[in-house]
Amino acid sequence: GIGTINQTPNRTESPDMLNVEYYKLGGLKTMNGNRQFGSTLPSKITFGYEYIYGNDSYLIVTTYDGSVYIYDKITQSFKEIYKFPTPSNDHNIISFNNGIIITNGIDDLVYYMYGRHDQLTGTVTGIAQSYDVTGTGTKFKTQLSPGDRIQIGALTYQVSEITSDTELKLKTTIAVNFTDEDYYLTEISELNAVLVNEDDPNISQAIRGLAIASYKGRIWVGANDGTLYYSELGLIHGWDIKYDAGGIPQFYDDNSDFTALGNWSKYLTIHKRENTYILDANNEDSGSWSIEP
C-alpha cells in the first residue's frame, strides 16, 4: 500500500512490486530486471559483447573452448558462429566496418558481420577431393582474400590462397563436384593478420594480441611481441606496409605488456602494465604521429 512506499527517508519497501528502483527521497523508476538467456553452453563464458548492427543489437558470447556464439532472439538460443583452434581464458571484441573483430590473443583475428551473404562476380567450378577452384568471369583478387569463407551450393569453404582472378585454393578439399555455380561471401572471415611488405618477401610478422581497438578507420593491436600494429585504412585484410599499415615498436623504454587499447577524445589510449599513453594519429601522415605518457 501507499503507506509502505517511502514511508520515511530511512525505510522503503514494497513486497509485491517487481523490477522497480526506489529513490531515497521519494519516487519510483521501473526497471527491465534481469533475464537468464541460457544455461546450456558447454564451456565457461570468457567474454560478452553487445554488437549493434543497424537498428538491432545482438549478444555475442565467447567461451573457454574457443567457441563464439550469437544469441538468436527468435529461437531464444545461442548459435555458434565460429570456433578458434586454441582454447583460451581471454577474448576481446571491437566493432569495425559494420561488423565485429574477435581475438583470443593466440590465433588469427576473426571478422564477423551479421547476415553477410554477398553474391560475388562470375561462377565457380571445382572437382571433389581437390583444393582448386576455377572461375569464369570472377574477380578473386579484388573481391576475396585468404581467410574469407565462401558458400558454394549448400557448403562453406575457407579460401587459403588466391593465384589469380580466376584461380584459388581452398583450405579443405571440395566435398562434391560443382560446375559454373554461383558463390557467396559469408559472415565470417579470418583476417590473415600478418604484417607484410609487397616489395620485400622477407617481411612477414604475425599479429596476435588481446589489446585491440578501432581508431581513425584502422584496426589497432597491442601485440604479444610488444609492438603496436595498425592496419591499412578501412580494410580488415589490409596489413601491407607498402599501403600504410605498420607497427610502432616499444616506446619510452616500457617493456611491459599491453593490457588494453581504447578511445578518448581524439586520441587512442594505450594501457600497458605499468603506464598509460595517448597516441595522436589525426594527421594522415603516419610519420607525424606522436605518443605521450
Side-chain angles (χ1 to χ4, degrees):
I2 192 170
T4 63
I5 299 176
N6 295 319
Q7 188 170 15
T8 73
N10 297 321
R11 177 173 175 174
T12 298
E13 64 177 83
S14 180
D16 58 351
M17 296 183 71
L18 301 176
N19 296 334
V20 295
E21 179 178 332
Y22 300 97
Y23 295 97
K24 186 174 181 180
L25 298 180
L28 298 172
K29 178 182 179 182
T30 60
M31 305 291 288
N32 289 328
N34 297 320
R35 176 182 175 188
Q36 181 171 314
F37 278 84
S39 60
T40 57
L41 293 177
S43 186
K44 180 183 71 174
I45 293 173
T46 58
F47 198 80
Y49 187 81
E50 183 184 23
Y51 167 34
I52 297 175
Y53 180 79
N55 294 323
D56 295 314
S57 61
Y58 301 90
L59 175 63
I60 305 292
V61 170
T62 60
T63 55
Y64 168 78
D65 65 0
S67 296
V68 182
Y69 298 93
I70 187 169
Y71 185 74
D72 188 319
K73 301 175 186 177
I74 297 175
T75 63
Q76 297 187 2
S77 62
F78 284 98
K79 170 190 171 186
E80 185 180 271
I81 56 176
Y82 184 75
K83 189 160 187 174
F84 284 100
T86 310
S88 175
N89 278 311
D90 299 295
H91 294 85
N92 200 0
I93 301 176
I94 61 168
S95 295
F96 191 79
N97 282 9
N98 291 320
I100 55 174
I101 293 171
I102 314 157
T103 178
N104 67 354
I106 304 168
D107 302 310
D108 196 7
L109 282 67
V110 173
Y111 176 81
Y112 170 80
M113 180 177 176
Y114 179 80
R116 186 175 69 170
H117 192 249
D118 301 338
Q119 184 170 354
L120 302 175
T121 303
T123 59
V124 291
T125 297
I127 300 172
Q129 305 308 312
S130 168
Y131 293 91
D132 300 316
V133 174
T134 57
T136 302
T138 50
K139 298 179 179 179
F140 293 156
K141 283 278 192 180
T142 55
Q143 294 185 337
L144 288 172
S145 294
D148 282 335
R149 295 193 177 186
I150 55 176
Q151 181 180 332
I152 305 170
L155 300 176
T156 299
Y157 299 94
Q158 185 172 351
V159 177
S160 174
E161 180 184 340
I162 298 173
T163 308
S164 68
D165 270 337
T166 57
E167 295 179 332
L168 62 76
K169 288 185 178 294
L170 302 175
K171 193 171 184 179
T172 57
T173 57
I174 296 167
V176 293
N177 294 338
F178 52 84
T179 303
D180 293 332
E181 189 86 31
D182 291 334
Y183 68 116
Y184 303 83
L185 180 63
T186 68
E187 295 175 320
I188 285 283
S189 292
E190 292 181 6
L191 268 59
N192 193 29
V194 178
L195 191 68
V196 296
N197 188 336
E198 185 179 290
D199 296 331
D200 187 350
N202 294 317
I203 295 178
S204 179
Q205 176 60 51
I207 300 170
R208 304 290 184 265
L210 276 171
I212 58 175
S214 172
Y215 172 64
K216 296 297 176 184
R218 302 174 188 264
I219 304 164
W220 296 75
V221 182
N224 302 333
D225 64 5
T227 301
L228 178 63
Y229 292 99
Y230 53 91
S231 70
E232 298 171 37
L233 188 64
L235 300 178
I236 64 170
H237 294 297
W239 302 98
D240 195 327
I241 292 173
K242 183 176 180 178
Y243 301 104
D244 207 24
I248 302 172
Q250 292 172 344
F251 38 84
Y252 287 94
D253 294 325
D254 188 343
N255 298 320
S256 61
D257 295 336
F258 292 96
T259 57
L261 302 178
N263 290 270
W264 175 68
S265 184
K266 65 178 183 176
Y267 305 106
L268 176 72
T269 56
I270 305 165
H271 305 278
K272 303 196 81 177
R273 190 72 58 189
E274 301 296 332
N275 300 286
T276 293
Y277 305 86
I278 55 174
L279 182 145
D280 187 348
N282 283 273
N283 193 310
E284 292 183 4
D285 177 14
S286 57
S288 67
W289 295 349
S290 63
I291 296 178
E292 301 290 339

